[in-house]
Amino acid sequence: MLKLSGVTRRYGDAVALDGLDFIVPDDTYVSLLGASGSGKTTLLRLIAGFEEPDAGELMLGGERLDGKPPHRRDIGFVFQNFALFPHLSVEENVAFGLRHRESKAVPAGSDLNDRVNAALDLVGLTGFGHRGVGEISGGQKQRVALARTLVTEPRIVLLDEPLGALDANLRARMCDELRAIRERLKVSFLHVTGSETEALTMGDTVAVLANGRIAQAQDSTSLFTQPANTAAARHLNAWNLIGGRVKGRTLDTAVGALPISQSLPDGSEAQLAVRFDQIGVCEPDQVPAGQDHFTARYLAGEFNGPTELSFFRADNGDLIQVVNHLSNPRLPDLTEGRTYALHFSPDAALLFEGAA
Amino acid sequence: MSTMTTDMPAEKGQSPAIKREARDRRRALMLLSPGVLWMVLFMILPMIMVVYVSFWTQTTFAVEPTLTTASWERFLSSSTYLSAIGTTLRVWAIVLVATLVVGYPVALFIGLFVKNRTIQTALLVACVIPFWTSFLIRVIAWRPMLGTEGAINVILQKLGIINEPLTFLLFSEFSVLVGMTQIYCVFMVGPITFMIARIDESMIEAARDLGASFGTIFRRIILPLSMPGVIVGAIFVSVMVLGEFATAASLSGRKTNMLGNIIVSQVGSLKWAFAAVAGVVLTLIIAAVITLALRIVDLRKEM
């Protein structure tokens, strides 16, 4: 188990990580979702030991990590740009860690070869050992980088946007394979990504990194359907947030008063969150009974294949997004520039205290 | 024929693509021509001339275009000239090793440990400072350092390490080696720094992450990746040291005779044919050294 407590990292005046607490359990695929510049790479670099925290501590299996040089931490790091050694062949790259590590080095010989070949088999590169790293494709380089790390049997594997450099087809395939490989090895993977779909697909646990802290860490379904705060909701890119001030049992927002289920102190700020796929659209005078609603002007639609995203502009300028599934369409035909009622079930709305 | 066809009639002339290709080729040749012209006029033709002259007949004060191998025979049978070849090769080898030993750590420091590009450049420029002073001043400046009354001797005597001043420090092969190492070191530092600075930081981090200590990373990653720089630097230093005569003459008090010194003195006494022989020998040695260096590392593959 990797445990981070109160980890802080500053660059001059900028705070990348601000008293972050985080636990990566054993034998788990954890994906870490964060916007670019949110400090996700910094977090990985702190764990790997390329940088040290300004405050806080890192424990791995009861042993303190911070202060140890990276080559004595026994942690695997898969770089975004692969960082393969260009002057070595594929098998020499994979053998590097075993042969040249400071402790428990494996001398050249049949044992080393067996382990290198087993690692290449694991990532599906059987027979590629003699190739130069300049002679293989991007996806294959990714696999070599993975094999090079896995062959040293690290206690935890850190992957820094490992699929970022791959094209979409390859990305989908590598997603499945990464999960399969991890399940076979029974070692924890911490996979950092900026893509919410990738994070939700990959992680047994998905952690959202925002404002230098973990906003929420939970299984994909819970996180997606029940984000715990606005930061988590915003990163999932599936929730509309409508801000306002509490007035009795309603929230006074820029798009009008909307009922709320909880009672909050009058005058306090709160955010109402409604998921893209739980908003219905109709003419302003035809709102179904029992549905909460507000009105917004239809801007444009964006066709994505199986789904279609419709953009609405609320009176205060907020952008509201509604998703429609082609196989099960809920929306009427929409005319650009016209105003519609956007309605949702009161149960579908989540309420977050605090300002935006 | 009313249907569309992709076959263009051949008599319409060359296709625009082929014309464009020809135009690009012409432009490339034009870029090359000043250099080629220069090389042919001022290098290839004079070189051929030098080889030709080396077979001319040398009289006391003139050369005549009567072909003979007399100059070659004299050169190759004279122990003075053969030992000049030996001296040249010895000075070259020692200076090459010395510039590498002094220069590599400097390059490693600038290329690997200085992260700021501006400071990197500033430090490289600082390596060129020896060139800011004239050659003569530089040589004169060695005297208060290496002379019998110089700083090194005075300090060693004060410390009681030596009783008599060391005389080999100045006007000897030693001072030639020290001087050349100092002057030519920068040509070793530059290319090596350039190669080391190109090594991706994450590659070194990856090696560390895989458990390698700094020593191992240096041996297995940094050294092999900087080899092209070492070779380019070695070629620079070799070409300059092998053709050296000024440093050798002034710092050795004319005691160290390299091939370059032979050429200077032969030209000075109007022995053109003989100077030409020494010139051809020198050129052959330089060509051999460069070939050898390129054999060690395939630059085309590595750069």
Side-chain angles (χ1 to χ4, degrees), chain A residues 219-231:
Chain A
D219 64 282
S220 311
T221 321
S222 308
L223 178 70
F224 188 73
T225 54
Q226 294 283 323
N229 44 49
T230 47

Side-chain angles (χ1 to χ4, degrees), chain B:
Chain B
M1 216 160 67
S2 61
T3 50
M4 284 274 283
T5 170
T6 50
D7 294 324
M8 293 292 271
E11 60 270 20
K12 280 263 174 80
Q14 284 178 320
S15 84
I18 291 175
K19 275 188 202 152
R20 183 179 150 191
E21 203 174 288
R23 205 161 52 233
D24 287 351
R25 206 176 318 127
R26 267 202 306 280
R27 191 176 300 142
L29 284 176
M30 259 163 61
L31 287 174
L32 203 59
S33 50
V36 169
L37 194 70
W38 198 265
M39 283 303 201
V40 169
L41 277 180
F42 300 111
M43 184 166 127
I44 311 263
L45 291 181
M47 276 307 297
I48 293 170
M49 195 61 200
V50 168
V51 174
Y52 183 43
V53 169
S54 75
F55 290 100
W56 283 8
T57 305
Q58 179 80 54
T59 61
T60 315
F61 295 112
V63 276
E64 286 160 11
T66 321
L67 294 185
T68 166
T69 56
S71 298
W72 279 94
E73 281 161 22
R74 231 187 96 208
F75 186 93
L76 294 174
S77 59
S78 152
S79 63
T80 319
Y81 302 130
L82 291 180
S83 85
I85 296 181
T87 307
T88 307
L89 291 176
R90 187 172 63 244
V91 169
W92 162 70
I94 297 174
V95 171
L96 188 62
V97 171
T99 48
L100 188 61
V101 168
V102 175
Y104 198 98
V106 175
L108 192 62
F109 173 76
I110 301 177
L112 199 63
F113 295 102
V114 179
K115 302 284 177 224
N116 185 315
R117 290 272 160 180
T118 321
I119 299 177
Q120 268 185 3
T121 316
L123 286 173
L124 273 181
V125 171
C127 291
V128 194
I129 286 178
F131 284 89
W132 294 2
T133 50
S134 95
F135 179 78
L136 218 57
I137 307 246
R138 220 158 45 216
V139 170
I140 293 169
W142 284 105
R143 295 190 176 197
M145 202 64 210
L146 299 174
T148 39
E149 305 278 298
I152 291 180
N153 271 322
V154 170
I155 290 171
L156 287 179
Q157 273 174 307
K158 284 265 161 72
L159 291 174
I161 296 170
I162 50 166
N163 298 320
E164 302 265 303
L166 298 173
T167 47
F168 73 86
L169 289 180
L170 194 58
F171 301 129
S172 63
E173 194 170 303
F174 176 77
S175 53
V176 173
L177 296 174
V178 171
M180 284 194 186
T181 304
Q182 186 238 339
I183 298 167
Y184 297 120
C185 208
V186 64
F187 295 100
M188 194 58 105
V189 174
I192 300 177
T193 306
F194 177 71
M195 284 312 288
I196 291 181
R198 274 184 20 162
I199 299 176
D200 188 355
E201 180 74 31
S202 62
M203 210 127 63
I204 292 164
E205 286 177 345
R208 283 214 93 183
D209 185 67
L210 293 168
S213 63
F214 183 78
T216 312
I217 295 174
F218 174 74
R219 254 199 343 252
R220 303 287 169 183
I221 308 288
I222 299 171
L223 193 59
L225 288 178
S226 66
M227 266 325 266
V230 173
I231 295 300
V232 171
I235 290 174
F236 281 166
V237 171
S238 300
V239 168
M240 282 180 290
V241 170
L242 287 169
E244 251 284 6
F245 62 93
T247 314
S250 54
L251 277 178
S252 76
R254 299 193 180 274
K255 272 180 261 173
T256 299
N257 276 316
M258 299 176 65
L259 276 175
N261 301 96
I262 302 270
I263 298 173
V264 172
S265 66
Q266 296 299 327
V267 169
S269 52
L270 303 179
K271 298 276 196 320
W272 292 103
F274 216 69
V277 172
V280 173
V281 171
L282 184 56
T283 310
L284 288 177
I285 291 177
I286 292 177
V289 165
I290 293 176
T291 314
L292 186 75
L294 292 176
R295 276 279 169 99
I296 297 174
V297 168
D298 184 354
L299 284 182
R300 259 183 312 178
K301 204 181 100 193
E302 303 283 347
M303 291 293 268

